[in-house]
Amino acid sequence: MGGTRSIQFRHRVNNGLLALAFVLIIATSMVSVWSTNALGDSIDKVTRTNQVRDLIVRMTTALGGVESGGLRYMISGRSEYLMQHRQSLAEMDRLNVQLAAMTTDNPLQRQNLSEFIGRYDVLVERSRESLAMKRKAMEDGDEGTPLRRLRDGIGASIVQEMQVMLEKMTAEEDRLMAARANERDALVKQTNATVLIATGLALRSFE
């Protein structure tokens, strides 16, 4: 009689432990699903930050092309420099649109980009006036007026301001990258841990 009760007790204990194990497996699995989803979101953020950084690098290159192409054209009047200048301006315009779409989730970067685009508009107007002046000077055989335009330093000042703005935007993306990379690494560890726990409980429950 005592042996039967002992067996029944052990069965109840085992059944209780088995039920508890299933509950823990379900709970751990839910945490694992959450961790996996959070990890996916974190990886997406890191990827997005890298894409924004790449756009800023391309913008910096295009701005350099605008400045160097415009400067050389104003001095020499050669068409290839005019083409470089115009193509770089067009590239900046495209990049402004892409950056606007990629920074909608960051109020600080939206503000930085808004200020940058404001200076870009000033640069475009300055370019329009300078190119018109150069065309007229070439028609008139006037070499002095375009050079005086360059020496006033206004164009160079606009470009310098825009370079500082791009550096500011890069610094913000670097900050985000560090924070998001740390978040991603922590979630990788958490996801791995929850998967191991769930697997261990599952194996334990069937022993």
Side-chain angles (χ1 to χ4, degrees):
M1 187 74 173
T4 302
R5 289 179 179 176
S6 177
I7 292 172
Q8 290 175 343
F9 176 75
R10 284 198 299 271
H11 283 168
R12 290 194 187 108
V13 170
N14 288 336
N15 288 338
L17 291 174
L18 184 61
L20 177 61
F22 276 118
V23 170
L24 290 174
I25 289 170
I26 292 172
T28 307
S29 297
M30 291 176 65
V31 173
S32 178
V33 170
W34 176 87
S35 296
T36 301
N37 291 336
L39 177 59
D41 291 341
S42 180
I43 291 172
D44 288 343
K45 289 178 182 178
V46 170
T47 300
R48 189 181 188 87
T49 301
N50 274 323
Q51 291 171 341
V52 173
R53 291 168 75 181
D54 179 64
L55 290 174
I56 295 172
V57 170
R58 289 168 56 191
M59 182 70 82
T60 302
T61 301
L63 180 59
V66 169
E67 182 180 32
S68 62
L71 179 63
R72 291 172 180 174
Y73 175 69
M74 291 293 284
I75 293 172
S76 69
R78 293 172 59 176
S79 60
E80 61 265 35
Y81 297 136
L82 175 61
M83 182 177 297
Q84 177 192 1
H85 178 76
R86 286 176 167 167
Q87 288 176 342
S88 297
L89 277 175
E91 173 70 356
M92 289 184 69
D93 192 44
R94 289 189 293 269
L95 291 170
N96 280 332
V97 174
Q98 294 177 51
L99 278 169
M102 294 291 290
T103 56
T104 54
D105 61 339
N106 189 327
L108 178 57
Q109 289 294 59
R110 287 204 310 269
Q111 178 62 33
N112 289 336
L113 182 61
S114 177
E115 294 175 2
F116 181 83
I117 291 175
R119 298 312 291 165
Y120 168 78
D121 291 339
V122 173
L123 181 65
V124 170
E125 181 60 22
R126 172 80 179 183
S127 169
R128 185 189 66 78
E129 295 173 353
S130 296
L131 296 183
M133 178 183 294
K134 179 62 178 179
R135 284 193 299 269
K136 186 175 186 307
M138 290 173 66
E139 292 170 358
D140 297 342
D142 175 10
E143 296 182 358
T145 300
L147 296 179
R148 286 192 293 273
R149 175 80 166 180
L150 293 177
R151 284 196 293 266
D152 70 16
I154 296 175
S157 177
I158 295 170
V159 170
Q160 186 176 19
E161 290 175 6
M162 296 177 76
Q163 288 170 338
V164 170
M165 291 176 182
L166 289 174
E167 290 171 2
K168 184 178 179 181
M169 293 176 71
T170 298
E172 170 63 7
E173 292 305 318
D174 287 345
R175 183 193 67 80
L176 287 173
M177 175 57 72
R180 289 170 174 176
N182 288 338
E183 178 187 34
R184 177 202 57 198
D185 293 343
L187 285 169
V188 167
K189 293 178 182 178
Q190 179 176 317
T191 301
N192 290 339
T194 53
V195 169
L196 288 173
I197 291 171
T199 302
L201 288 172
L203 293 174
R204 184 72 176 174
S205 65
F206 289 106
E207 287 182 353

